[in-house]
Amino acid sequence: MAYSTVAVANAFIQRALDGKISELTPMKLQKLMFYAQSWMLKIYNEELIDEHFCKWQYGPVIPSLYHEIKNYGSGVIKDLIPIGLPSFNGTDITFSAVTPKIPEVDNNSWAFIDKIISVYGEYSGTDLSYLTHLKGTAWDKTQRLGDVMPSQLLKDSIGN
């Protein structure tokens, strides 16, 4: 089952807040999510995240997530990401904040995220960005900056 981008991001942020990921910057978060999506596709032929990555200068990025966390710059992410949900009471539209999360009972998704952290979590965002740029990666094989990186390309390019 694919989760919202923010729910998966919040899973990684929660692990960082719990001390299981050091120095979780926006760049590092984007790359951890890229590796999670790529390995989920490779191993299970399923998406973990319900959005696609795009080829950006410093590696794969989900643009909507970029805009949610860009205020951190190159600093450490310190809070879970809330989103505003609209409701209509007949005359007015109001927004209430919710914090999307992967349910705690989804042991498989949490175990998978923990495995990604155990493999990639100690790398810096810059190191992970470098790894995404290596020859033969999905980033390398995507033609132009800004182009969507198809899920099949993520699946086919990881672990080779």
Side-chain angles (χ1 to χ4, degrees), residues 6 10 13 68-69 72 79-85 96-100:
V6 173
N10 279 337
I13 295 168
E68 290 288 342
I69 58 176
Y72 287 102
D79 296 298
L80 296 175
I81 304 167
I83 61 169
L85 289 182
S96 56
V98 296
T99 305

Side-chain angles (χ1 to χ4, degrees), residues 2 22 45 47 54 68 70 114 127 154 159:
S22 62
N45 201 33
E47 293 184 337
C54 292
E68 290 288 342
K70 67 184 177 184
D114 288 338
D127 291 338
L154 272 66

Side-chain angles (χ1 to χ4, degrees), residues 32-147:
L32 289 173
M33 292 192 46
F34 169 76
Y35 283 115
Q37 181 82 324
S38 298
W39 281 110
M40 181 66 89
L41 287 162
K42 181 80 163 192
I43 296 168
Y44 300 108
N45 201 33
E46 293 179 10
E47 293 184 337
L48 178 64
I49 303 165
D50 68 358
E51 289 187 70
H52 293 282
F53 287 84
C54 292
K55 179 177 181 168
W56 282 23
Q57 180 179 358
Y58 297 109
V61 168
I62 297 174
S64 67
L65 179 59
Y66 169 82
H67 292 293
E68 290 288 342
I69 58 176
K70 67 184 177 184
N71 58 314
Y72 287 102
S74 61
V76 172
I77 298 171
K78 298 190 182 301
D79 296 298
L80 296 175
I81 304 167
I83 61 169
L85 289 182
S87 60
F88 185 67
N89 68 4
T91 57
D92 295 317
I93 296 176
T94 59
F95 290 87
S96 56
V98 296
T99 305
K101 296 180 181 180
I102 295 174
E104 292 297 326
V105 296
D106 186 350
N107 295 325
N108 292 337
S109 293
W110 281 103
F112 187 80
I113 286 167
D114 288 338
K115 182 63 176 173
I116 294 299
I117 292 168
S118 74
V119 173
Y120 297 101
E122 289 305 313
Y123 289 100
S124 70
T126 303
D127 291 338
L128 292 171
S129 178
Y130 171 79
L131 292 175
T132 66
H133 285 64
L134 295 175
K135 184 98 173 117
T137 62
W139 185 92
D140 176 57
K141 291 181 178 182
T142 301
Q143 197 166 16
R144 292 179 305 272
L145 289 177
D147 282 356

